[in-house]
Amino acid sequence: ELKVEQNPLFLSMQEGKNYTIYCNYSTTSDRLYWYRQDPGKSLESLFVLLSNGAVKQEGRLMASLDTKARLSTLHITAAVHDLSATYFCAVADYGGSQGNLIFGKGTKLSVKP
Amino acid sequence: DTEVTQTPKHLVMGMTNKKSLKCEQHMGHRAMYWYKQKAKKPPELMFVYSYEKLSINESVPSRFSPECPNSSLLNLHLHALQPEDSALYLCASSPRGLAGVVYTGELFFGEGSRLTVL
């Protein structure tokens, strides 16, 4: 059974600082997704990582995937208040629910002035 | 702007009511999904339709009944719900179906329908 663990679950940052969110998963998969969710809103797709070593960047966010270590990171550079949201990683499950995405518990990010 | 449209955005219903949630996409996606999300929790998969056939039912109680009338529409019929069913119900679609086709697509989520059961 595929399990996805994110850490930290809560992150309070100051504006201008850097930080990394980690996403570990338990069984083989080569497709990992990062989503952002604002309170009361739906999930917005941020990054699609489809191969080992994939790195994608958008603004102050950069995501990477290491399929051998079963690890993805979401790095935040020089955080700003607008980045405050909950971030989910999701991993494609080729096992029991083929094609399903298994979500991590989410990281609630709060960026303070 | 999302290209997956869900209606209604908010729904309040009693335990004896029958209601439906609707989802529509015009991106030509062949897989459509219902997720349930409780507050401060990740989304949980309920159902997947692939090429308009039910592919996955994650042991959801029968008071939830999905329907896929065509490749663009997905409904979730609700009957005799319990207060603990109150949640945000998210519809999503993806470009590829599950019928033996390698899953490559990301999920595109609608805005969600917030359901309150009294």
Side-chain angles (χ1 to χ4, degrees), chain A:
Chain A
E1 180 189 353
L2 175 61
K3 294 187 190 301
V4 180
E5 291 189 4
Q6 273 182 251
N7 69 82
L9 298 182
F10 298 94
L11 179 55
S12 182
M13 296 177 64
Q14 280 192 310
E15 280 192 328
K17 298 292 187 183
N18 304 336
Y19 211 86
T20 301
I21 299 171
Y22 297 89
C23 176
N24 289 90
Y25 53 99
S26 61
T27 64
T28 301
S29 180
D30 59 357
R31 304 182 192 287
L32 190 140
Y33 306 83
W34 284 96
Y35 288 89
R36 168 182 172 147
Q37 187 174 37
D38 291 293
K41 301 291 186 182
S42 187
L43 281 81
E44 174 191 356
S45 178
L46 293 176
F47 297 110
V48 178
L49 302 169
L50 298 179
S51 61
N52 186 40
V55 177
K56 292 199 175 179
Q57 183 162 6
E58 180 74 32
R60 300 173 188 276
L61 301 178
M62 183 172 72
S64 66
L65 177 61
D66 181 343
T67 58
K68 293 180 181 178
R70 297 177 187 164
L71 171 68
S72 179
T73 60
L74 180 66
H75 187 72
I76 303 155
T77 302
V80 293
H81 179 69
D82 285 353
L83 291 180
S84 297
T86 298
Y87 293 85
F88 291 98
C89 66
V91 181
D93 182 7
Y94 294 100
S97 296
Q98 190 174 19
N100 183 21
L101 291 189
I102 306 297
F103 283 82
K105 291 186 176 180
T107 297
K108 184 172 182 179
L109 173 65
S110 176
V111 181
K112 302 182 187 302

Side-chain angles (χ1 to χ4, degrees), chain B residues 40-98:
Chain B
K40 301 181 181 179
K41 299 288 186 183
E44 296 177 358
L45 183 67
M46 300 175 73
F47 302 104
V48 183
Y49 273 83
S50 176
Y51 295 90
E52 297 142 58
K53 294 189 188 315
L54 184 63
S55 294
I56 294 176
N57 176 343
E58 291 289 314
S59 302
V60 179
S62 60
R63 57 186 184 267
F64 295 92
S65 175
E67 178 196 18
C68 188
N70 60 56
S71 61
S72 299
L73 295 174
L74 184 66
N75 298 322
L76 186 62
H77 303 298
L78 314 170
H79 175 54
L81 295 193
Q82 304 296 310
E84 59 264 29
D85 296 321
S86 299
L88 180 67
Y89 288 83
L90 294 164
C91 173
S93 68
S94 69
R96 300 285 185 93
L98 301 176

